[in-house]
Amino acid sequence: MQHIDLIVQGTLVPMQGKDILEDGAIAIHQGIIKALGPSAAIMATYSAQTTLAAQDSFVLPGFVNGHTHVGMSFLRGVADDAQDLQSWLQDYIFPLEKKFLSEDFVYWSTTLACYEMIQSGVTTFADMYFFEYAAAQAVAHAGMRAILGETIFIMRDLVYAQEFCNALKGYSPLITAAVAPHSLYSCDAQTLMQAHDFSHTHDVPFIIHVAEQKNEILTLRKKTGLSPSEYMQSLVLLSPRVIIAHGVHFSDADLAIVGKSGASIIYNPTSNMKLGSGIARVKSMQEHGIAVGLGTDGTASNNALDAFAEMKTGALLQDLCVEDYCKPLTPFEVVKLATIDGARALKMDHKIGSLQVGKAADMIIMNRQDFAQLPSYDVYSQIVYASKSTDVQTVIIDGKIVMHKRRMVTLFDKVAQLRERIAHYQKAIKNI
Ligand SMILES: [Zn+2]
């Protein structure tokens, strides 16, 4: 009998293929999945410090939120009258950020975001915001896995982002620093090229918003005569390190260029609907060989960081497509977007995204017998269309239990102070 840290029993939904395993178990030791298989076989081989017997539940890989802005959580609901992305940015977000952004704001906003994401089963996310060093402290305390991209508008920001990437080396095995130029329209060519050079030399991800709204395409064409992907190609900004948020208005030619480059795209359905951006063509992206993940975007344009809400909205939005503009996704394909495909999009699929021996023990235990989920004829349809974030019971990241039976373990000590900071900023923002 081998003694290990943790055993999780339940119906395994490994996301390695479509197959599920009823009455399965997973053996976890030192943060890694050591074995998985029929419960009887695992229990006969291993004994553990802790056994989570969740036979009436699904065990899934933790969800991957491929694009968000965790430091903006205190701006939830501040811009709901905005008509489009430009009004959202110029009339609401930029002025508030100018007034309130600080390390304290980002630290506590990130703590709120981590709390909300863990409660909906997210174990990994890719972020893009400011004061990411403060975010890193909050993320480390929450015990989450993340790529943290320092946002860049001008050259001075790039210097700061480079310092941040260097400072974060060795900070936490769960946190990867990144450079994150805001967009093609808000950064000059020199800054974009140098940011990509840095990402190449230091092997860090490069996160950027591209082709989010139609206007952006028209303006770029007027200025340069190029489409977004042609412009990126001309500046040598496309490589496997690049994670593109949105890509809503990419043409087939754009998708072919992105597909060849190895860059990935994150689909943010709620944010795209809320800001009137349009519908990303997920299937076409995939047909061009692009790894596509699912993202919530930030709370100021969503207004939630809820993996289940995003899966359902993401599926429904593709259903709305007419003629051959885009194609519906099956529930299995949608769960893939939120797990293994999301991991591929972040270039982390060697480590996370599926329940597989040798991968990190990032997983969730969720209800499968709640009345609102029943009857169930297909596991994936049950997860995408009939389940909610409140069905997530327990969350494990890197082999550590961060939420158990909906009680927060890692962030429990921050709750009182978090409430106080929310009240403080809410009052200050209301009063301007
Ligand atoms: Zn965004």
Side-chain angles (χ1 to χ4, degrees):
M1 192 70 97
Q2 289 184 46
H3 196 69
I4 53 167
D5 295 336
L6 179 64
I7 293 175
V8 178
Q9 294 174 295
T11 297
L12 308 187
V13 185
M15 298 311 295
Q16 250 196 292
K18 219 177 160 181
D19 290 347
I20 64 161
L21 180 61
E22 298 273 357
D23 201 14
I26 305 177
I28 296 160
H29 194 59
Q30 293 180 341
I32 304 290
I33 298 176
K34 212 170 154 53
L36 84 176
S39 190
I42 297 290
M43 298 311 278
T45 316
Y46 299 97
S47 72
Q49 201 100 349
T50 309
T51 297
L52 301 176
Q55 280 91 346
D56 279 346
S57 309
F58 289 133
V59 183
L60 271 92
F63 296 122
V64 177
N65 185 358
H67 178 68
T68 187
H69 308 279
V70 287
M72 288 179 91
S73 284
F74 287 168
L75 301 182
R76 192 195 314 267
V78 296
D80 289 352
D81 291 340
Q83 296 298 308
D84 58 26
L85 175 66
Q86 284 317 316
S87 143
W88 181 85
L89 281 172
Q90 305 293 346
D91 304 334
Y92 297 88
I93 302 302
F94 288 161
L96 282 169
E97 287 180 337
K98 206 169 168 198
K99 208 168 165 61
F100 289 103
L101 264 192
S102 67
E103 284 189 17
D104 181 77
F105 187 94
V106 168
Y107 177 87
W108 288 104
S109 253
T110 302
T111 301
L112 173 61
C114 289
Y115 199 106
E116 184 181 358
M117 284 194 282
I118 289 171
Q119 288 213 310
S120 89
V122 174
T123 54
T124 295
F125 64 94
D127 191 58
M128 175 197 225
Y129 206 55
F130 305 97
F131 296 107
E132 289 286 334
Y133 195 76
Q137 292 170 41
V139 174
H141 191 78
M144 291 190 79
R145 196 181 297 277
I147 296 175
L148 301 178
E150 183 71 36
T151 298
I152 297 161
F153 283 102
I154 55 174
M155 203 54 95
R156 197 184 57 207
D157 303 332
L158 174 60
V159 174
Y160 185 83
Q162 290 170 337
E163 284 168 7
F164 163 69
C165 288
N166 290 331
L168 225 69
K169 272 183 194 147
Y171 177 77
S172 157
L174 301 193
I175 299 175
T176 306
V179 288
H182 178 267
S183 57
L184 298 178
Y185 61 83
S186 60
C187 298
D188 63 61
Q190 194 67 17
T191 308
L192 289 167
M193 286 191 291
Q194 287 197 18
H196 191 266
D197 268 1
F198 181 84
S199 120
H200 178 73
T201 321
H202 293 257
D203 195 21
V204 297
F206 175 103
I207 306 172
I208 185 165
H209 297 111
V210 182
E212 183 172 357
Q213 300 232 324
K214 215 171 208 155
N215 267 348
E216 185 189 326
I217 315 293
L218 302 174
T219 312
L220 185 71
R221 174 79 64 191
K222 233 184 240 167
K223 211 170 113 189
T224 65
L226 302 172
S227 76
S229 72
E230 287 166 352
Y231 181 61
M232 290 181 87
Q233 206 175 29
S234 76
L235 301 181
V236 201
L237 293 188
L238 283 169
S239 72
R241 277 175 208 85
V242 175
I243 303 164
I244 293 170
H246 306 300
V248 173
H249 296 283
F250 273 146
S251 65
D252 283 339
D254 282 319
L255 293 181
I257 291 171
V258 173
K260 273 195 200 111
S261 75
S264 55
I265 302 180
I266 307 299
Y267 170 43
N268 300 275
T270 305
S271 175
N272 293 158
M273 291 166 78
K274 194 155 195 288
L275 296 178
S277 303
I279 308 176
R281 298 181 300 145
V282 174
K283 271 277 173 73
S284 301
M285 291 171 178
Q286 292 171 332
E287 282 162 11
H288 282 90
I290 300 168
V292 183
L294 186 68
T296 58
D297 218 343
T299 42
S301 67
N302 185 308
N303 301 2
L305 306 176
D306 181 329
F308 286 88
E310 214 57 42
M311 282 194 288
K312 185 165 179 172
T313 306
L316 295 174
L317 185 58
Q318 296 297 312
D319 288 341
L320 265 187
C321 284
V322 288
E323 293 171 3
D324 57 357
Y325 179 74
C326 52
K327 295 173 198 141
L329 300 165
T330 65
F332 174 60
E333 288 170 327
V334 175
V335 180
K336 275 181 75 186
L337 285 182
T339 55
I340 187 64
D341 285 358
R344 271 180 60 219
L346 302 188
K347 310 290 176 303
M348 293 171 84
D349 52 314
H350 59 291
K351 204 180 257 185
I352 59 160
S354 61
L355 302 177
Q356 205 174 333
V357 173
K359 281 199 180 182
D362 288 13
M363 63 192 74
I364 65 169
I365 301 172
M366 62 171 281
N367 294 340
R368 64 176 299 195
Q369 299 292 352
D370 194 85
F371 279 128
Q373 298 175 295
L374 296 173
S376 169
Y377 304 104
D378 174 81
V379 165
Y380 299 100
S381 140
Q382 183 182 4
I383 292 168
V384 171
Y385 291 113
S387 300
K388 299 175 292 298
S389 58
T390 46
D391 288 316
V392 177
Q393 289 297 319
T394 296
V395 177
I396 297 163
I397 305 175
D398 206 39
K400 294 182 187 69
I401 299 170
V402 297
M403 183 173 82
H404 186 46
K405 296 190 174 167
R406 288 208 72 72
R407 279 183 67 86
M408 201 58 75
V409 177
T410 48
L411 289 174
F412 185 71
D413 60 334
K414 296 283 181 189
V415 170
Q417 217 183 336
L418 175 59
R419 284 214 181 275
E420 185 274 316
R421 293 325 278 159
I422 293 170
H424 167 82
Y425 284 109
Q426 184 178 298
K427 193 171 167 202
I429 289 172
K430 251 186 173 170
N431 282 342
I432 50 170

